[in-house]
Amino acid sequence: MTWLTNEQMQALPDRHPLATITTLSLGDVEGVLCDAIYFEEFRELLIELIANLAKVRGTNGAELVGLRGGGVNKISPPRTELFPSRVASTEQNNSTIMYGDRLLFKMYRKLEEGINPEPEILRFLAGKKRFRNVPAYAGKIEYRTSVGGVYDLGVLQNFIICHGDAWKSTLTELTQFVEHLLSHKDDLPKLPPSLPKLLDVVKSGIPDQFRDLVRGLHLEMAMLLGRRTAEMHRALASGSTESDWSMVEFSTLYQRSIFQSIRGLVRRSFQMLTQSLHRLTDDVQRRAKQILAAENEIIDCLHNITGRRLSAMKSRIHGDFHLGQALFTGKDFVFIDFEGESPHSLSERRLKRSPLRDVAGMIHSFHFATMTTLSQHDSTHPGDIQLLEPWLEAWYIYVSGSYLKAYLHSMKNSPLIPADRTELEIMLRCFLIEKVVHELRYELNNRPDWVDIPLRGIEILLRECRS
């Protein structure tokens, strides 16, 4: 514990506005309880623990242990390139420290006994150079209790210099697409009466007229993203037989558990939607009622995953995959944040699952980007929506189809993915329904004004189920 002088306490709000947690009194001494991450001395201690493989022992027998990875030996940046360090200003579930533009330490704020999948995956992928498009693993800090419990406190990795993530670049591309549509609305080609399914795009490709409208650039980016996703999945399944990194066959029992889990999510989420109808605008309420009326259709669509065993396999996956997890370096993508979804336990996040869950997460992210663009434009120019909505849906189908086409081509002959189109379609649709219904539940709980976005996504999936 460190006590600050009166001058330091007075300067604290200006120097570190987020550092103060609360004022504190210990006997006759007045002080301030602070978050240590905002102090350079503490940030220096963290990196020294890892670099020196040091231990800090507590009075009760517990200890902090620094573990070094290959990344720090390879990089070995001089001190002048690491300090001064700084804390990222973005609000996240974790705290992020940048040491110059060389290293990054992610401190986990939600601690749980056991192995955190992020340092585990980064370390595995670094071994034998299995997959280069992730941050280099440089080490981690563990908290070890006196009775043998182990907690991962944070992971050190190399800092990725980039042009932002794929989410921001996708929104920029969509904004430019909208501007182009509006400025050429009298010369636009006609869209087909019904848009193709994602797997139809994989098979037949993209019409030249649409390719010209998006100028090809984002289609190429989507395809590169698809190839890198496939390479990541192949690498995560490249361990020896019977290891934590090997592939495991599907079973009919596992397939039924997938169905039961997603069916339960649909039932609970639709019940919540029913209870929230009175809070929705008239247009959104009409869409919601139509979807609620189709609940049994959605369940029947999900039920297709039961029955005969699918020719697919499970492996370790990213677990929280979307456009925001792909940094663009100017030439390539680097994938980040392998800790999985924080509401789930560490043991759940480390389970082997179908890689198509990650694929569904990325495809859902493309849809969310298009509908976010539509919603933002609607708030200021509602008269344009009739023109923009079908074109933005087409953008989602064709760009997502390009991503999926490149992914499947790079996964060719991999036992992880069904070779049979029907089986592939069944699995992908189930995981897309899971993603969009999970999003519906999140928006109902946190952002009711955004509920229309997942509702539109369910509409698209319903059309595919019916065709």
Side-chain angles (χ1 to χ4, degrees):
M1 180 179 293
T2 300
W3 292 99
L4 305 179
T5 65
N6 289 332
E7 291 78 10
Q8 288 174 317
M9 286 177 58
Q10 291 173 359
L12 193 60
D14 294 328
R15 290 183 57 204
H16 310 287
L18 299 178
T20 302
I21 298 174
T22 185
T23 57
L24 190 67
S25 298
L26 293 178
D28 297 331
V29 181
E30 298 290 330
V32 177
L33 182 63
C34 299
D35 188 338
I37 198 172
Y38 292 99
F39 296 88
E40 185 81 306
E41 298 85 352
F42 178 75
R43 301 196 292 265
E44 186 173 352
L45 171 65
L46 293 176
I47 203 164
E48 286 180 353
L49 271 174
I50 295 172
N52 299 326
L53 297 173
K55 295 182 180 181
V56 177
R57 300 185 185 277
T59 56
N60 62 351
E63 59 184 10
L64 293 179
V65 179
L67 300 172
R68 192 169 61 211
V72 76
N73 292 330
K74 179 181 178 181
I75 300 169
S76 298
R79 179 183 174 83
T80 54
E81 295 186 18
L82 299 181
F83 297 97
S85 59
R86 63 193 187 279
V87 180
S89 57
T90 54
E91 293 185 9
Q92 298 175 330
N93 295 327
N94 308 303
S95 295
T96 302
I97 302 171
M98 276 85 80
Y99 294 95
D101 61 356
R102 300 298 298 274
L103 295 174
L104 179 150
F105 183 79
K106 181 192 287 188
M107 178 181 288
Y108 303 123
R109 291 297 193 176
K110 180 184 176 183
L111 298 183
E112 182 181 345
E113 183 177 347
I115 299 172
N116 189 297
E118 182 164 38
E120 180 189 28
I121 288 175
L122 291 180
R123 184 178 180 182
F124 174 76
L125 293 178
K128 299 181 180 179
K129 299 179 180 179
R130 291 181 172 90
F131 183 60
R132 298 176 181 272
N133 292 63
V134 293
Y137 171 70
K140 66 175 181 174
I141 296 177
E142 292 181 349
Y143 172 69
R144 298 176 182 175
T145 69
S146 58
V147 293
V150 178
Y151 297 74
D152 283 330
L153 298 188
V155 61
L156 184 68
Q157 52 196 269
N158 73 308
F159 179 75
I160 304 299
I161 299 174
C162 65
H163 297 288
D165 58 43
W167 170 257
K168 293 176 183 176
S169 65
T170 297
L171 290 181
T172 299
E173 180 70 22
L174 281 164
T175 299
Q176 294 171 353
F177 182 60
V178 166
E179 291 172 352
H180 181 81
L181 291 174
L182 294 175
S183 62
H184 295 82
K185 57 185 176 182
D186 295 329
D187 304 318
L188 293 175
K190 287 186 178 181
L191 284 169
S194 61
L195 290 170
K197 299 179 182 180
L198 289 173
L199 288 176
D200 290 337
V201 177
V202 171
K203 181 180 179 181
S204 304
I206 299 169
D208 291 338
Q209 58 190 20
F210 186 85
R211 188 183 298 275
D212 293 340
L213 278 175
V214 295
R215 298 180 301 284
L217 175 61
H218 211 78
L219 295 174
E220 293 175 9
M221 299 277 281
M223 295 181 75
L224 175 61
L225 192 59
R227 289 195 295 273
R228 294 294 178 258
T229 304
E231 291 165 6
M232 175 185 70
H233 285 154
R234 284 183 174 275
L236 287 172
S238 63
S240 58
T241 306
E242 303 300 325
S243 75
D244 288 340
W245 306 97
S246 63
M247 294 179 280
V248 177
E249 289 185 346
F250 266 46
S251 67
T252 54
L253 183 63
Y254 176 66
Q255 290 166 212
R256 178 158 289 277
S257 72
I258 293 175
F259 164 67
Q260 291 171 342
S261 174
I262 305 176
R263 179 184 61 182
L265 176 65
V266 171
R267 299 284 195 208
R268 294 189 301 273
S269 301
F270 279 28
Q271 184 178 17
M272 184 183 298
L273 179 60
T274 301
Q275 295 168 349
S276 303
L277 283 174
H278 66 280
R279 294 189 293 164
L280 307 179
T281 64
D282 290 344
D283 287 344
V284 178
Q285 192 176 114
R286 280 192 293 271
R287 196 188 313 276
K289 287 180 178 179
Q290 291 171 354
I291 288 170
L292 287 170
E295 179 176 346
N296 288 335
E297 283 186 74
I298 295 172
I299 300 299
D300 288 343
C301 186
L302 291 170
H303 196 265
N304 289 325
I305 203 169
T306 63
R308 68 172 186 175
R309 186 176 70 82
L310 300 174
S311 56
M313 303 191 81
K314 300 180 290 182
S315 65
R316 294 293 295 273
I317 63 173
H318 183 286
D320 187 21
F321 204 52
H322 52 78
L323 289 166
Q325 310 289 41
L327 303 182
F328 186 60
T329 65
K331 295 182 178 180
D332 211 338
F333 288 106
V334 174
F335 299 144
I336 60 171
D337 292 342
F338 285 82
E339 60 184 295
E341 295 180 330
S342 57
H344 297 155
S345 68
L346 290 181
S347 58
E348 286 179 293
R349 291 184 245 167
R350 297 180 66 237
L351 290 175
K352 295 177 181 179
R353 304 180 187 274
S354 169
L356 288 175
R357 286 183 184 269
D358 279 348
V359 174
M362 187 61 70
I363 291 173
H364 172 66
S365 193
F366 278 122
H367 179 263
F368 199 87
T370 58
M371 292 301 102
T372 298
T373 302
L374 183 67
S375 178
Q376 290 174 346
H377 192 86
D378 184 31
S379 64
T380 55
H381 300 85
D384 297 332
I385 297 307
Q386 188 174 359
L387 168 70
L388 295 179
E389 185 173 1
W391 278 103
L392 284 172
E393 186 175 325
W395 189 100
Y396 156 67
I397 293 293
Y398 288 126
V399 172
S400 296
S402 298
Y403 166 79
L404 184 58
K405 181 174 184 176
Y407 175 82
L408 294 175
H409 179 76
S410 297
M411 291 293 283
K412 191 174 182 180
N413 299 323
S414 170
L416 286 166
I417 304 299
D420 180 77
R421 168 170 170 153
T422 300
E423 292 186 1
L424 177 64
E425 194 168 44
I426 288 170
M427 289 180 62
L428 187 59
R429 192 171 295 153
C430 277
F431 297 140
L432 282 170
I433 291 173
E434 180 182 39
K435 282 292 179 183
V436 74
V437 174
H438 184 274
E439 184 65 38
L440 172 65
R441 189 176 182 85
Y442 176 85
E443 304 302 356
L444 286 169
N445 279 324
N446 299 281
R447 300 182 299 191
D449 292 343
W450 291 55
V451 164
D452 198 40
I453 293 179
L455 290 179
R456 289 173 182 270
I458 296 173
E459 273 188 337
I460 293 174
L461 291 171
L462 257 176
R463 288 202 299 269
E464 289 206 358
C465 289
R466 290 166 175 168
S467 62

